[in-house]
Every structure is written in C-alpha cells, then in structure tokens.
Amino acid sequence: AVVSTQSTGTADVVIILKHLPTKEDTSKVMKILGTKMNQQQTDKAAATTAVTDSGFTYTHAGNTLRISLTTLPSNTTETIDHEKHIKLEHLKNSLAAIRHARWFEENAFQ
C-alpha cells in the first residue's frame, strides 16, 4: 500500500506480510525491489539502497522510495525476537501510517 508522498521526489510504501517481518525479509525484499527498479531505469545513474529500522530506502536520480515492512495487526501480539524481527514500535508505526492514508483517502474530499 502506498502510504503517502511526503515531498517532491519522496514516497513512502508499506508492505504488509502475513508473518512477523524479519531482518532477512528486509534483505530479500530490498534485493528483489532493487533488481526490478534497476531494470526500469533508462539512465545509467547509480541507484542506492540502505537498510533502515523499519525496512529500507531505494534512491535513484534524487528520488527516494522509503519501504517499511509490517505485519497484520493480529500478529503484533506474537513474541518478537529482537535479534531477528523488526521492532514492534516500527511495525505499529507502519500500521498507523496505513490507517492514516486510508482515513485521508476516505475523508480528504468530503
């Protein structure tokens, strides 16, 4: 779900997984998305990816895509291994961003 566009050249995307997202999931998604995005680029400017606390960023030609991973709300009550999983705080913030985007979509033009 695209959550919001913060400013020119920056977009936020939240990916909801059916299980608690791990740091390994972040690496897998980052690799897949980076490969797909690089295939779409027509210029030869280098793209960069960087891991963040809630997911990762993909930057190309001054444009940034901020990807956050989260899970279904019912999964946030599961036991989180702090060495393996994304922190609960970040999972909840990503879910809140989705709720905010849905609220805005429903109420913005009323």
Side-chain angles (χ1 to χ4, degrees), residues 59-98:
T59 304
H60 179 266
N63 298 307
T64 301
L65 185 60
R66 293 186 293 213
I67 308 291
S68 296
L69 301 180
T70 192
T71 188
L72 302 170
S74 59
N75 291 343
T76 58
T77 59
E78 292 181 26
T79 302
I80 293 179
D81 179 348
H82 297 289
E83 296 296 319
K84 181 179 176 183
H85 297 105
I86 293 175
K87 291 181 180 180
L88 180 61
E89 167 189 1
H90 300 298
L91 300 177
K92 288 184 176 183
N93 287 342
S94 296
L95 289 170
I98 291 171

Side-chain angles (χ1 to χ4, degrees), residues 98-110:
I98 291 171
R99 283 193 307 275
H100 176 78
R102 287 181 180 156
W103 177 91
F104 188 80
E105 182 178 51
E106 292 173 5
N107 297 292
F109 301 107
Q110 291 183 2

Side-chain angles (χ1 to χ4, degrees), residues 1 13-30 32 54-56 67-76 78 84-86 91 94-95 98 102:
V13 176
V14 175
I15 298 172
I16 302 173
L17 302 178
K18 292 181 181 180
H19 61 274
L20 283 173
T22 64
K23 295 173 184 176
E24 184 179 328
D25 291 328
T26 299
S27 296
K28 287 178 183 178
V29 173
M30 186 169 66
I32 291 167
S54 61
F56 64 96
I67 308 291
S68 296
L69 301 180
T70 192
T71 188
L72 302 170
S74 59
N75 291 343
T76 58
E78 292 181 26
K84 181 179 176 183
H85 297 105
I86 293 175
L91 300 177
S94 296
L95 289 170
I98 291 171
R102 287 181 180 156

